[in-house]
Amino acid sequence: MEYHNPTTIKPKASAACGWNFIVLMSRQGKIRLSEFFSSYSESQKKRILRDIAADVLPRQAKMCNIIEKGEYKFVYRRYASLYFIVGAPTEMNELIVLEQIHLFVEALDGYFNSVCELDLVFSLHKSLMILFEMFIGGMLCESNRREVLQQIVEAEEMVEQMTKPGEDTSSQLDDGLSFQEQFQLGRKPGARGPRGNR
């Protein structure tokens, strides 16, 4: 029986258990959701999004769902008019990534009752809540769809209890969103319901 010294394991193997990023893109190349779990500069993010549009969108349906891109690989699935594209480390198992994408889509389906592109456009914050409930730092932490949806419902009930009558609930949910995400939602960043800017 051979003994393997644990100190000889490659350091990259420990980083190969989570996603680097996820991008939801329409067939027309419109970004509906993007979240980067690893540290990338703005120019690197733009390059990744350009690569996705150039490499993934023109592919035929029967082509492979995995594209090697140097230090990471694109693993994607298409659902109706949306591409769910994950940037995964090269050491990560592609079949696990495909299954994780499907789990995320099932959770979105469970919340929105058959999710469509418009749900993501008008309820970006809800999609991000589901994503962050399931994945922390790109790693799958909760795979039970019922548990994920229960946590989202409890968070919404808590916001409803804290909201004063006549106040916009969505503005409180936006408190955790970046200016870019609020802009994608069509809201003026910093505006908080009828009280206006803080």
Side-chain angles (χ1 to χ4, degrees), residues 5-71:
N5 187 349
T7 58
T8 61
I9 296 173
K10 293 180 183 177
K12 279 188 175 181
S14 62
C17 54
W19 298 351
N20 293 344
F21 55 85
I22 180 170
V23 176
L24 276 58
M25 189 177 279
S26 70
R27 285 184 302 183
Q28 294 77 28
K30 301 278 186 190
I31 298 165
R32 298 306 181 199
L33 181 148
S34 67
E35 186 60 41
F36 290 82
F37 299 107
S38 298
S39 179
Y40 291 100
S41 67
E42 284 302 315
S43 61
Q44 288 173 319
K45 289 178 184 179
K46 288 177 183 174
R47 182 179 52 81
I48 288 169
L49 296 175
R50 277 196 312 268
D51 287 348
I52 288 172
D55 296 343
V56 174
L57 297 184
R59 292 172 73 87
Q60 301 298 318
K62 291 187 178 181
M63 295 175 104
C64 180
N65 288 22
I66 301 142
I67 302 171
E68 298 276 340
K69 294 297 287 184
E71 71 274 7

Short mmCIF file of all heavy atoms in Angstrom, two decimals, residues 5-71:
data_model
loop_
_atom_site.label_atom_id
_atom_site.label_comp_id
_atom_site.label_asym_id
_atom_site.label_seq_id
_atom_site.Cartn_x
_atom_site.Cartn_y
_atom_site.Cartn_z
N ASN A 5 2.02 11.67 0.66
CA ASN A 5 2.23 12.78 1.56
C ASN A 5 1.25 13.90 1.21
O ASN A 5 1.23 14.37 0.07
CB ASN A 5 3.67 13.27 1.43
CG ASN A 5 4.01 14.33 2.46
OD1 ASN A 5 3.11 14.84 3.15
ND2 ASN A 5 5.28 14.66 2.58
N PRO A 6 0.40 14.35 2.14
CA PRO A 6 -0.58 15.40 1.81
C PRO A 6 0.04 16.73 1.43
O PRO A 6 -0.58 17.54 0.79
CB PRO A 6 -1.42 15.53 3.09
CG PRO A 6 -0.64 14.88 4.17
CD PRO A 6 0.29 13.89 3.52
N THR A 7 1.30 16.95 1.82
CA THR A 7 1.94 18.21 1.47
C THR A 7 2.34 18.27 0.00
O THR A 7 2.66 19.34 -0.51
CB THR A 7 3.19 18.45 2.33
OG1 THR A 7 4.09 17.35 2.16
CG2 THR A 7 2.82 18.60 3.80
N THR A 8 2.32 17.13 -0.69
CA THR A 8 2.70 17.12 -2.11
C THR A 8 1.51 17.41 -3.03
O THR A 8 1.67 17.48 -4.23
CB THR A 8 3.31 15.76 -2.51
OG1 THR A 8 2.33 14.74 -2.29
CG2 THR A 8 4.57 15.49 -1.71
N ILE A 9 0.33 17.57 -2.47
CA ILE A 9 -0.86 17.88 -3.28
C ILE A 9 -0.70 19.28 -3.85
O ILE A 9 -0.29 20.21 -3.16
CB ILE A 9 -2.15 17.77 -2.44
CG1 ILE A 9 -2.34 16.32 -1.98
CG2 ILE A 9 -3.36 18.24 -3.23
CD1 ILE A 9 -3.48 16.14 -1.01
N LYS A 10 -1.07 19.42 -5.10
CA LYS A 10 -0.94 20.72 -5.75
C LYS A 10 -1.83 21.75 -5.06
O LYS A 10 -2.98 21.45 -4.72
CB LYS A 10 -1.34 20.61 -7.22
CG LYS A 10 -0.40 19.78 -8.04
CD LYS A 10 -0.90 19.73 -9.46
CE LYS A 10 -0.02 18.83 -10.30
NZ LYS A 10 -0.51 18.71 -11.67
N PRO A 11 -1.36 23.00 -4.89
CA PRO A 11 -2.20 24.01 -4.25
C PRO A 11 -3.42 24.36 -5.09
O PRO A 11 -4.42 24.80 -4.57
CB PRO A 11 -1.26 25.22 -4.10
CG PRO A 11 -0.13 24.97 -5.04
CD PRO A 11 -0.03 23.49 -5.21
N LYS A 12 -3.34 24.17 -6.41
CA LYS A 12 -4.48 24.51 -7.26
C LYS A 12 -5.67 23.60 -7.02
O LYS A 12 -6.80 23.96 -7.28
CB LYS A 12 -4.08 24.44 -8.74
CG LYS A 12 -3.36 25.64 -9.25
CD LYS A 12 -3.20 25.54 -10.74
CE LYS A 12 -2.58 26.81 -11.28
NZ LYS A 12 -2.43 26.73 -12.74
N ALA A 13 -5.42 22.39 -6.53
CA ALA A 13 -6.51 21.43 -6.33
C ALA A 13 -7.52 21.94 -5.32
O ALA A 13 -8.71 21.68 -5.45
CB ALA A 13 -5.94 20.10 -5.89
N SER A 14 -7.06 22.68 -4.31
CA SER A 14 -7.99 23.20 -3.31
C SER A 14 -8.86 24.31 -3.89
O SER A 14 -9.98 24.52 -3.45
CB SER A 14 -7.22 23.73 -2.10
OG SER A 14 -6.39 24.80 -2.50
N ALA A 15 -8.35 25.01 -4.90
CA ALA A 15 -9.12 26.10 -5.51
C ALA A 15 -10.03 25.60 -6.61
O ALA A 15 -10.76 26.38 -7.20
CB ALA A 15 -8.17 27.15 -6.06
N ALA A 16 -10.00 24.30 -6.89
CA ALA A 16 -10.75 23.77 -8.02
C ALA A 16 -12.15 23.32 -7.64
O ALA A 16 -12.76 22.56 -8.35
CB ALA A 16 -9.99 22.60 -8.64
N CYS A 17 -12.66 23.75 -6.49
CA CYS A 17 -13.97 23.27 -6.07
C CYS A 17 -15.06 24.33 -6.20
O CYS A 17 -16.19 24.10 -5.80
CB CYS A 17 -13.90 22.75 -4.65
SG CYS A 17 -13.21 23.92 -3.50
N GLY A 18 -14.75 25.49 -6.75
CA GLY A 18 -15.76 26.53 -6.89
C GLY A 18 -15.66 27.25 -8.21
O GLY A 18 -14.65 27.16 -8.91
N TRP A 19 -16.74 27.95 -8.55
CA TRP A 19 -16.79 28.71 -9.79
C TRP A 19 -15.95 29.98 -9.68
O TRP A 19 -15.84 30.56 -8.61
CB TRP A 19 -18.22 29.14 -10.09
CG TRP A 19 -19.20 28.04 -10.29
CD1 TRP A 19 -18.95 26.69 -10.39
CD2 TRP A 19 -20.62 28.18 -10.40
NE1 TRP A 19 -20.12 26.02 -10.57
CE2 TRP A 19 -21.16 26.91 -10.58
CE3 TRP A 19 -21.47 29.27 -10.36
CZ2 TRP A 19 -22.52 26.68 -10.72
CZ3 TRP A 19 -22.83 29.06 -10.51
CH2 TRP A 19 -23.35 27.77 -10.69
N ASN A 20 -15.42 30.43 -10.80
CA ASN A 20 -14.77 31.73 -10.86
C ASN A 20 -15.81 32.83 -11.12
O ASN A 20 -15.70 33.93 -10.60
CB ASN A 20 -13.71 31.78 -11.96
CG ASN A 20 -12.53 30.88 -11.65
OD1 ASN A 20 -12.35 30.46 -10.52
ND2 ASN A 20 -11.74 30.57 -12.65
N PHE A 21 -16.79 32.52 -11.96
CA PHE A 21 -17.84 33.49 -12.29
C PHE A 21 -19.02 32.77 -12.92
O PHE A 21 -18.90 31.62 -13.36
CB PHE A 21 -17.33 34.59 -13.23
CG PHE A 21 -16.70 34.07 -14.49
CD1 PHE A 21 -17.47 33.75 -15.61
CD2 PHE A 21 -15.33 33.91 -14.57
CE1 PHE A 21 -16.88 33.27 -16.76
CE2 PHE A 21 -14.72 33.43 -15.73
CZ PHE A 21 -15.50 33.11 -16.83
N ILE A 22 -20.16 33.45 -12.95
CA ILE A 22 -21.34 32.98 -13.68
C ILE A 22 -21.90 34.16 -14.45
O ILE A 22 -21.95 35.28 -13.93
CB ILE A 22 -22.41 32.35 -12.76
CG1 ILE A 22 -23.61 31.87 -13.60
CG2 ILE A 22 -22.84 33.30 -11.66
CD1 ILE A 22 -24.60 31.02 -12.85
N VAL A 23 -22.31 33.91 -15.68
CA VAL A 23 -22.90 34.94 -16.53
C VAL A 23 -24.15 34.35 -17.17
O VAL A 23 -24.12 33.23 -17.68
CB VAL A 23 -21.92 35.40 -17.64
CG1 VAL A 23 -22.58 36.38 -18.58
CG2 VAL A 23 -20.67 35.99 -17.02
N LEU A 24 -25.25 35.09 -17.09
CA LEU A 24 -26.46 34.72 -17.81
C LEU A 24 -26.59 35.68 -18.97
O LEU A 24 -26.66 36.90 -18.78
CB LEU A 24 -27.69 34.83 -16.91
CG LEU A 24 -28.00 33.61 -16.03
CD1 LEU A 24 -26.85 33.27 -15.12
CD2 LEU A 24 -29.26 33.83 -15.23
N MET A 25 -26.60 35.14 -20.19
CA MET A 25 -26.60 35.97 -21.39
C MET A 25 -27.69 35.50 -22.35
O MET A 25 -27.90 34.29 -22.51
CB MET A 25 -25.22 35.88 -22.06
CG MET A 25 -25.01 36.85 -23.20
SD MET A 25 -23.32 36.76 -23.89
CE MET A 25 -22.41 37.73 -22.72
N SER A 26 -28.37 36.46 -22.96
CA SER A 26 -29.41 36.11 -23.94
C SER A 26 -28.76 35.75 -25.27
O SER A 26 -27.57 35.98 -25.48
CB SER A 26 -30.37 37.28 -24.13
OG SER A 26 -29.71 38.34 -24.81
N ARG A 27 -29.55 35.19 -26.18
CA ARG A 27 -29.02 34.83 -27.50
C ARG A 27 -28.53 36.05 -28.26
O ARG A 27 -27.69 35.95 -29.14
CB ARG A 27 -30.11 34.14 -28.33
CG ARG A 27 -30.36 32.71 -27.91
CD ARG A 27 -31.35 32.05 -28.81
NE ARG A 27 -32.60 32.78 -28.83
CZ ARG A 27 -33.68 32.38 -29.49
NH1 ARG A 27 -33.65 31.31 -30.21
NH2 ARG A 27 -34.78 33.09 -29.44
N GLN A 28 -29.06 37.23 -27.93
CA GLN A 28 -28.64 38.46 -28.59
C GLN A 28 -27.39 39.07 -27.97
O GLN A 28 -26.91 40.11 -28.41
CB GLN A 28 -29.78 39.50 -28.55
CG GLN A 28 -31.01 39.13 -29.34
CD GLN A 28 -31.88 38.10 -28.65
OE1 GLN A 28 -31.90 38.01 -27.43
NE2 GLN A 28 -32.58 37.29 -29.44
N GLY A 29 -26.87 38.45 -26.93
CA GLY A 29 -25.66 38.95 -26.29
C GLY A 29 -25.90 39.91 -25.14
O GLY A 29 -24.95 40.52 -24.64
N LYS A 30 -27.14 40.06 -24.69
CA LYS A 30 -27.45 40.93 -23.55
C LYS A 30 -27.16 40.20 -22.25
O LYS A 30 -27.60 39.06 -22.06
CB LYS A 30 -28.93 41.34 -23.57
CG LYS A 30 -29.36 42.07 -24.81
CD LYS A 30 -29.00 43.51 -24.73
CE LYS A 30 -29.58 44.25 -25.93
NZ LYS A 30 -29.07 45.59 -26.03
N ILE A 31 -26.44 40.85 -21.36
CA ILE A 31 -26.11 40.25 -20.08
C ILE A 31 -27.27 40.46 -19.13
O ILE A 31 -27.67 41.59 -18.85
CB ILE A 31 -24.82 40.85 -19.51
CG1 ILE A 31 -23.67 40.57 -20.47
CG2 ILE A 31 -24.53 40.29 -18.12
CD1 ILE A 31 -22.45 41.40 -20.22
N ARG A 32 -27.81 39.37 -18.63
CA ARG A 32 -28.95 39.44 -17.71
C ARG A 32 -28.52 39.32 -16.25
O ARG A 32 -29.21 39.79 -15.36
CB ARG A 32 -29.97 38.37 -18.05
CG ARG A 32 -30.57 38.51 -19.43
CD ARG A 32 -31.15 39.88 -19.62
NE ARG A 32 -31.76 40.07 -20.93
CZ ARG A 32 -32.01 41.23 -21.46
NH1 ARG A 32 -31.69 42.34 -20.81
NH2 ARG A 32 -32.57 41.33 -22.64
N LEU A 33 -27.39 38.67 -16.01
CA LEU A 33 -26.84 38.57 -14.66
C LEU A 33 -25.38 38.21 -14.80
O LEU A 33 -25.03 37.38 -15.66
CB LEU A 33 -27.59 37.50 -13.87
CG LEU A 33 -27.17 37.25 -12.42
CD1 LEU A 33 -28.38 36.83 -11.60
CD2 LEU A 33 -26.10 36.20 -12.29
N SER A 34 -24.53 38.82 -14.02
CA SER A 34 -23.12 38.42 -13.99
C SER A 34 -22.61 38.59 -12.57
O SER A 34 -22.89 39.60 -11.92
CB SER A 34 -22.28 39.25 -14.96
OG SER A 34 -22.21 40.59 -14.56
N GLU A 35 -21.91 37.57 -12.11
CA GLU A 35 -21.34 37.62 -10.77
C GLU A 35 -19.96 36.96 -10.82
O GLU A 35 -19.82 35.83 -11.28
CB GLU A 35 -22.23 36.90 -9.76
CG GLU A 35 -21.78 37.01 -8.34
CD GLU A 35 -21.71 38.44 -7.85
OE1 GLU A 35 -22.60 39.25 -8.16
OE2 GLU A 35 -20.75 38.76 -7.13
N PHE A 36 -18.95 37.68 -10.35
CA PHE A 36 -17.58 37.19 -10.35
C PHE A 36 -17.20 36.84 -8.92
O PHE A 36 -17.20 37.70 -8.05
CB PHE A 36 -16.63 38.23 -10.93
CG PHE A 36 -16.82 38.43 -12.41
CD1 PHE A 36 -17.82 39.25 -12.90
CD2 PHE A 36 -16.00 37.77 -13.32
CE1 PHE A 36 -18.01 39.43 -14.26
CE2 PHE A 36 -16.18 37.93 -14.68
CZ PHE A 36 -17.18 38.76 -15.15
N PHE A 37 -16.87 35.57 -8.70
CA PHE A 37 -16.51 35.11 -7.36
C PHE A 37 -15.02 35.23 -7.12
O PHE A 37 -14.58 35.22 -5.97
CB PHE A 37 -16.95 33.65 -7.17
CG PHE A 37 -18.44 33.46 -7.29
CD1 PHE A 37 -18.98 32.85 -8.39
CD2 PHE A 37 -19.28 33.91 -6.29
CE1 PHE A 37 -20.35 32.68 -8.50
CE2 PHE A 37 -20.65 33.75 -6.38
CZ PHE A 37 -21.19 33.12 -7.50
N SER A 38 -14.22 35.31 -8.18
CA SER A 38 -12.78 35.51 -8.06
C SER A 38 -12.47 36.96 -8.37
O SER A 38 -13.28 37.68 -8.95
CB SER A 38 -12.03 34.60 -9.02
OG SER A 38 -12.28 33.25 -8.72
N SER A 39 -11.27 37.38 -8.01
CA SER A 39 -10.88 38.77 -8.20
C SER A 39 -10.43 39.01 -9.64
O SER A 39 -9.46 38.40 -10.10
CB SER A 39 -9.76 39.11 -7.23
OG SER A 39 -9.35 40.43 -7.40
N TYR A 40 -11.16 39.87 -10.34
CA TYR A 40 -10.82 40.26 -11.71
C TYR A 40 -10.88 41.78 -11.81
O TYR A 40 -11.76 42.41 -11.20
CB TYR A 40 -11.81 39.67 -12.73
CG TYR A 40 -11.74 38.18 -12.90
CD1 TYR A 40 -12.64 37.34 -12.26
CD2 TYR A 40 -10.76 37.60 -13.71
CE1 TYR A 40 -12.58 35.97 -12.42
CE2 TYR A 40 -10.70 36.23 -13.87
CZ TYR A 40 -11.60 35.42 -13.22
OH TYR A 40 -11.53 34.06 -13.39
N SER A 41 -10.00 42.36 -12.62
CA SER A 41 -10.07 43.80 -12.88
C SER A 41 -11.22 44.05 -13.85
O SER A 41 -11.74 43.12 -14.48
CB SER A 41 -8.76 44.30 -13.47
OG SER A 41 -8.56 43.75 -14.77
N GLU A 42 -11.61 45.31 -13.98
CA GLU A 42 -12.71 45.64 -14.90
C GLU A 42 -12.38 45.26 -16.33
O GLU A 42 -13.23 44.79 -17.07
CB GLU A 42 -13.05 47.14 -14.81
CG GLU A 42 -13.83 47.52 -13.57
CD GLU A 42 -15.14 46.77 -13.42
OE1 GLU A 42 -15.89 46.65 -14.42
OE2 GLU A 42 -15.43 46.28 -12.32
N SER A 43 -11.12 45.46 -16.74
CA SER A 43 -10.73 45.11 -18.12
C SER A 43 -10.78 43.59 -18.32
O SER A 43 -11.18 43.12 -19.39
CB SER A 43 -9.34 45.64 -18.44
OG SER A 43 -8.38 45.09 -17.58
N GLN A 44 -10.41 42.81 -17.30
CA GLN A 44 -10.49 41.36 -17.40
C GLN A 44 -11.95 40.90 -17.49
O GLN A 44 -12.27 40.00 -18.26
CB GLN A 44 -9.82 40.70 -16.19
CG GLN A 44 -8.31 40.80 -16.19
CD GLN A 44 -7.72 40.27 -14.90
OE1 GLN A 44 -8.24 40.51 -13.81
NE2 GLN A 44 -6.60 39.55 -15.03
N LYS A 45 -12.82 41.54 -16.71
CA LYS A 45 -14.25 41.19 -16.78
C LYS A 45 -14.82 41.47 -18.16
O LYS A 45 -15.56 40.65 -18.72
CB LYS A 45 -15.04 41.98 -15.72
CG LYS A 45 -14.77 41.54 -14.30
CD LYS A 45 -15.54 42.39 -13.32
CE LYS A 45 -15.22 42.04 -11.88
NZ LYS A 45 -15.94 42.88 -10.92
N LYS A 46 -14.46 42.62 -18.73
CA LYS A 46 -14.94 42.96 -20.07
C LYS A 46 -14.43 41.97 -21.11
O LYS A 46 -15.15 41.57 -22.02
CB LYS A 46 -14.54 44.39 -20.44
CG LYS A 46 -15.30 45.45 -19.69
CD LYS A 46 -14.82 46.84 -20.03
CE LYS A 46 -15.55 47.88 -19.20
NZ LYS A 46 -15.02 49.23 -19.40
N ARG A 47 -13.17 41.55 -20.95
CA ARG A 47 -12.60 40.59 -21.88
C ARG A 47 -13.32 39.24 -21.78
O ARG A 47 -13.62 38.60 -22.79
CB ARG A 47 -11.10 40.40 -21.62
CG ARG A 47 -10.42 39.43 -22.59
CD ARG A 47 -8.94 39.29 -22.32
NE ARG A 47 -8.61 38.97 -20.95
CZ ARG A 47 -8.66 37.74 -20.42
NH1 ARG A 47 -9.03 36.72 -21.14
NH2 ARG A 47 -8.33 37.55 -19.16
N ILE A 48 -13.62 38.81 -20.55
CA ILE A 48 -14.35 37.56 -20.35
C ILE A 48 -15.71 37.63 -21.01
O ILE A 48 -16.14 36.69 -21.70
CB ILE A 48 -14.46 37.25 -18.84
CG1 ILE A 48 -13.10 36.83 -18.29
CG2 ILE A 48 -15.50 36.17 -18.57
CD1 ILE A 48 -13.03 36.75 -16.78
N LEU A 49 -16.43 38.75 -20.82
CA LEU A 49 -17.76 38.89 -21.41
C LEU A 49 -17.68 38.91 -22.94
O LEU A 49 -18.55 38.35 -23.62
CB LEU A 49 -18.45 40.15 -20.87
CG LEU A 49 -18.73 40.14 -19.37
CD1 LEU A 49 -19.28 41.48 -18.91
CD2 LEU A 49 -19.67 39.01 -18.99
N ARG A 50 -16.63 39.54 -23.49
CA ARG A 50 -16.44 39.52 -24.95
C ARG A 50 -16.15 38.11 -25.44
O ARG A 50 -16.67 37.68 -26.46
CB ARG A 50 -15.29 40.46 -25.34
CG ARG A 50 -15.67 41.90 -25.49
CD ARG A 50 -14.61 42.70 -26.24
NE ARG A 50 -13.25 42.47 -25.76
CZ ARG A 50 -12.66 43.21 -24.82
NH1 ARG A 50 -13.29 44.22 -24.27
NH2 ARG A 50 -11.42 42.94 -24.44
N ASP A 51 -15.32 37.38 -24.69
CA ASP A 51 -15.00 36.00 -25.05
C ASP A 51 -16.25 35.12 -25.04
O ASP A 51 -16.42 34.27 -25.91
CB ASP A 51 -13.96 35.41 -24.11
CG ASP A 51 -12.56 35.97 -24.33
OD1 ASP A 51 -12.36 36.65 -25.37
OD2 ASP A 51 -11.68 35.74 -23.49
N ILE A 52 -17.11 35.33 -24.05
CA ILE A 52 -18.34 34.54 -23.98
C ILE A 52 -19.20 34.81 -25.21
O ILE A 52 -19.69 33.88 -25.85
CB ILE A 52 -19.13 34.87 -22.68
CG1 ILE A 52 -18.40 34.29 -21.47
CG2 ILE A 52 -20.55 34.35 -22.75
CD1 ILE A 52 -18.98 34.71 -20.14
N ALA A 53 -19.37 36.10 -25.53
CA ALA A 53 -20.19 36.45 -26.70
C ALA A 53 -19.60 35.88 -27.98
O ALA A 53 -20.33 35.41 -28.86
CB ALA A 53 -20.34 37.96 -26.80
N ALA A 54 -18.27 35.89 -28.09
CA ALA A 54 -17.62 35.42 -29.32
C ALA A 54 -17.54 33.90 -29.40
O ALA A 54 -17.65 33.34 -30.49
CB ALA A 54 -16.22 36.02 -29.42
N ASP A 55 -17.35 33.23 -28.27
CA ASP A 55 -17.12 31.78 -28.28
C ASP A 55 -18.37 30.95 -28.06
O ASP A 55 -18.52 29.88 -28.66
CB ASP A 55 -16.08 31.40 -27.22
CG ASP A 55 -14.72 32.01 -27.48
OD1 ASP A 55 -14.48 32.44 -28.63
OD2 ASP A 55 -13.90 32.06 -26.54
N VAL A 56 -19.27 31.40 -27.20
CA VAL A 56 -20.42 30.57 -26.81
C VAL A 56 -21.63 30.81 -27.71
O VAL A 56 -22.26 29.86 -28.20
CB VAL A 56 -20.79 30.82 -25.34
CG1 VAL A 56 -22.06 30.07 -24.96
CG2 VAL A 56 -19.64 30.41 -24.43
N LEU A 57 -21.98 32.07 -27.94
CA LEU A 57 -23.22 32.38 -28.66
C LEU A 57 -23.30 31.78 -30.07
O LEU A 57 -24.37 31.30 -30.46
CB LEU A 57 -23.45 33.89 -28.71
CG LEU A 57 -23.64 34.58 -27.36
CD1 LEU A 57 -23.95 36.06 -27.55
CD2 LEU A 57 -24.73 33.92 -26.54
N PRO A 58 -22.22 31.78 -30.86
CA PRO A 58 -22.36 31.24 -32.23
C PRO A 58 -22.38 29.71 -32.31
O PRO A 58 -22.61 29.17 -33.39
CB PRO A 58 -21.12 31.77 -32.96
CG PRO A 58 -20.35 32.59 -32.01
CD PRO A 58 -20.93 32.40 -30.66
N ARG A 59 -22.18 29.01 -31.20
CA ARG A 59 -22.07 27.55 -31.25
C ARG A 59 -23.41 26.89 -31.56
O ARG A 59 -24.45 27.36 -31.13
CB ARG A 59 -21.50 27.01 -29.94
CG ARG A 59 -20.04 27.41 -29.74
CD ARG A 59 -19.55 27.05 -28.38
NE ARG A 59 -19.33 25.62 -28.21
CZ ARG A 59 -18.21 25.00 -28.51
NH1 ARG A 59 -17.20 25.66 -29.04
NH2 ARG A 59 -18.07 23.71 -28.29
N GLN A 60 -23.33 25.78 -32.28
CA GLN A 60 -24.52 25.00 -32.63
C GLN A 60 -24.97 24.19 -31.41
O GLN A 60 -24.19 23.90 -30.51
CB GLN A 60 -24.22 24.06 -33.80
CG GLN A 60 -23.77 24.76 -35.07
CD GLN A 60 -24.85 25.70 -35.61
OE1 GLN A 60 -26.02 25.36 -35.64
NE2 GLN A 60 -24.44 26.89 -36.02
N ALA A 61 -26.24 23.78 -31.41
CA ALA A 61 -26.82 23.08 -30.27
C ALA A 61 -26.13 21.75 -29.98
O ALA A 61 -26.04 21.33 -28.82
CB ALA A 61 -28.31 22.86 -30.50
N LYS A 62 -25.64 21.07 -31.00
CA LYS A 62 -25.04 19.74 -30.80
C LYS A 62 -23.55 19.80 -30.46
O LYS A 62 -22.92 18.77 -30.29
CB LYS A 62 -25.25 18.89 -32.05
CG LYS A 62 -26.70 18.52 -32.26
CD LYS A 62 -26.86 17.54 -33.40
CE LYS A 62 -28.34 17.17 -33.56
NZ LYS A 62 -28.54 16.21 -34.63
N MET A 63 -22.99 20.98 -30.36
CA MET A 63 -21.57 21.12 -30.03
C MET A 63 -21.35 20.94 -28.53
O MET A 63 -22.28 21.06 -27.73
CB MET A 63 -21.04 22.47 -30.50
CG MET A 63 -21.07 22.64 -32.01
SD MET A 63 -20.58 24.29 -32.51
CE MET A 63 -18.94 23.97 -33.08
N CYS A 64 -20.10 20.68 -28.17
CA CYS A 64 -19.72 20.46 -26.77
C CYS A 64 -20.02 21.69 -25.92
O CYS A 64 -19.86 22.82 -26.37
CB CYS A 64 -18.23 20.11 -26.72
SG CYS A 64 -17.63 19.81 -25.07
N ASN A 65 -20.42 21.46 -24.67
CA ASN A 65 -20.78 22.55 -23.75
C ASN A 65 -19.60 23.05 -22.92
O ASN A 65 -19.79 23.75 -21.95
CB ASN A 65 -21.87 22.09 -22.78
CG ASN A 65 -23.20 21.94 -23.46
OD1 ASN A 65 -23.28 21.77 -24.67
ND2 ASN A 65 -24.26 21.97 -22.69
N ILE A 66 -18.39 22.66 -23.31
CA ILE A 66 -17.20 23.04 -22.56
C ILE A 66 -16.19 23.67 -23.51
O ILE A 66 -15.90 23.12 -24.57
CB ILE A 66 -16.57 21.81 -21.88
CG1 ILE A 66 -17.59 21.17 -20.93
CG2 ILE A 66 -15.31 22.18 -21.12
CD1 ILE A 66 -17.56 19.70 -20.91
N ILE A 67 -15.67 24.85 -23.13
CA ILE A 67 -14.67 25.54 -23.94
C ILE A 67 -13.49 25.86 -23.03
O ILE A 67 -13.64 26.61 -22.06
CB ILE A 67 -15.24 26.83 -24.56
CG1 ILE A 67 -16.47 26.54 -25.40
CG2 ILE A 67 -14.17 27.54 -25.39
CD1 ILE A 67 -17.20 27.79 -25.86
N GLU A 68 -12.32 25.32 -23.33
CA GLU A 68 -11.11 25.59 -22.55
C GLU A 68 -10.60 26.99 -22.88
O GLU A 68 -10.48 27.35 -24.05
CB GLU A 68 -10.03 24.56 -22.89
CG GLU A 68 -10.40 23.13 -22.55
CD GLU A 68 -10.13 22.76 -21.11
OE1 GLU A 68 -9.32 23.45 -20.47
OE2 GLU A 68 -10.74 21.79 -20.65
N LYS A 69 -10.28 27.78 -21.84
CA LYS A 69 -9.79 29.15 -22.03
C LYS A 69 -8.57 29.43 -21.16
O LYS A 69 -8.51 30.40 -20.43
CB LYS A 69 -10.89 30.16 -21.68
CG LYS A 69 -12.09 30.16 -22.57
CD LYS A 69 -11.79 30.52 -24.00
CE LYS A 69 -11.50 31.97 -24.16
NZ LYS A 69 -11.30 32.33 -25.57
N GLY A 70 -7.58 28.57 -21.21
CA GLY A 70 -6.36 28.80 -20.44
C GLY A 70 -6.53 28.44 -18.98
O GLY A 70 -6.67 27.27 -18.64
N GLU A 71 -6.55 29.45 -18.09
CA GLU A 71 -6.61 29.18 -16.65
C GLU A 71 -8.00 28.79 -16.16
O GLU A 71 -8.17 28.38 -15.02
CB GLU A 71 -6.09 30.39 -15.85
CG GLU A 71 -6.99 31.61 -15.84
CD GLU A 71 -6.80 32.56 -17.01
OE1 GLU A 71 -6.05 32.23 -17.94
OE2 GLU A 71 -7.43 33.63 -17.00
#
